[in-house]
Amino acid sequence: MTEISELIVLVLVAMAVLFAGKRGGFFRPLETRHDDLLLLSPWHVATVFLIYFLSGYFIIPEVGRVIRWFYHDGMSEADFVYFASWANFLNSSIIAFSFALMYQFLPRPLVTTLWGNLRLSNFGVAAAAWAIGFPIVTLVGQIFDFLVTNLFHLPTIPDQLAVHFLKLTFGHPLYFSLAIITIVILAPFVEETMFRGFLQTYIRRHLGTKAAIGLTSMLFALFHYSTSQGFANIPIIAA
């Protein structure tokens, strides 16, 4: 009964925040220069995803094989946290650096289209977007947590992969710092560049804004699927 009461409160909060955002004009479309969108080619989109997969599925695993060669008797949990912290940090750093380097070779109007104008007012828009989006995302996550827990009679739902990894670093200040930098700064830069920057902009050029947001959001959600998350994939992807 307590969970249902919490969901009702979340519904009311989410509806109130969304209504306030709509009344305040937050959802009005922004003006876009379509001629700048023409500068973005499918090769640009393919390149950022290729960089991501080359680093995550080739470079870092190869480094891991070399390191694990020194652990003939297997890794302890402390060794695993040490290795995973540096591997994730290195992977995100390589990708972020590659993206930053790629930007140096793109036409300036295209960079402006992808990033927008970095004005102080834009950070206010970002804060408002978070405030408006957070209640509805939390509500959806809680609804699916409730459904999964009760339908499958689970005592607990596994943590998201990033959250589980972060918990492993508790008690290790250096590894915790690396995990925070990776999860809070580097990974969002990488993911937003790939999905909101290149992919969404390219889809918007061909299918329009609403379709671009919808398709990109769906792909972004599926991108966070992991077999190790088990049933937690349902609320994570839904949210």
Side-chain angles (χ1 to χ4, degrees), residues 6 11 24 28 41 60-61 64 77 86-87 92 111 115 128 139 156 158 166 179-180 187-188 200 204 216 218 230 234:
E6 290 174 353
V11 168
R28 285 198 304 267
S41 75
I60 297 302
E77 182 174 305
W86 281 107
S92 294
V111 174
W115 274 91
L139 171 63
T156 57
L166 185 63
I180 288 294
Q200 182 170 288
R204 179 158 55 97
T216 306
M218 181 179 67
I234 297 174

Side-chain angles (χ1 to χ4, degrees), residues 153-227:
H153 306 290
L154 301 175
T156 57
I157 296 179
D159 288 324
Q160 186 175 356
L161 196 58
V163 174
H164 174 69
F165 172 66
L166 185 63
K167 287 180 177 180
L168 291 177
T169 65
F170 290 172
H172 305 278
L174 173 60
Y175 308 148
F176 178 76
S177 300
L178 289 174
I180 288 294
I181 293 171
T182 302
I183 295 169
V184 177
I185 300 174
L186 294 175
F189 170 78
V190 167
E191 293 176 354
E192 296 303 318
T193 297
M194 292 166 58
F195 286 92
R196 313 293 181 208
F198 285 86
L199 183 62
Q200 182 170 288
T201 303
Y202 183 76
I203 296 175
R204 179 158 55 97
R205 168 185 162 185
H206 295 279
L207 300 179
T209 300
K210 291 181 180 179
I213 292 173
L215 287 172
T216 306
S217 298
M218 181 179 67
L219 293 171
F220 182 78
L222 294 173
F223 189 74
H224 288 80
Y225 172 86
S226 173
T227 53

Side-chain angles (χ1 to χ4, degrees), residues 134-163:
F134 186 75
I136 189 68
V137 171
T138 304
L139 171 63
V140 172
Q142 291 289 88
I143 289 174
F144 278 87
D145 274 345
F146 177 79
L147 292 174
V148 168
T149 301
N150 287 277
L151 285 175
F152 298 103
H153 306 290
L154 301 175
T156 57
I157 296 179
D159 288 324
Q160 186 175 356
L161 196 58
V163 174

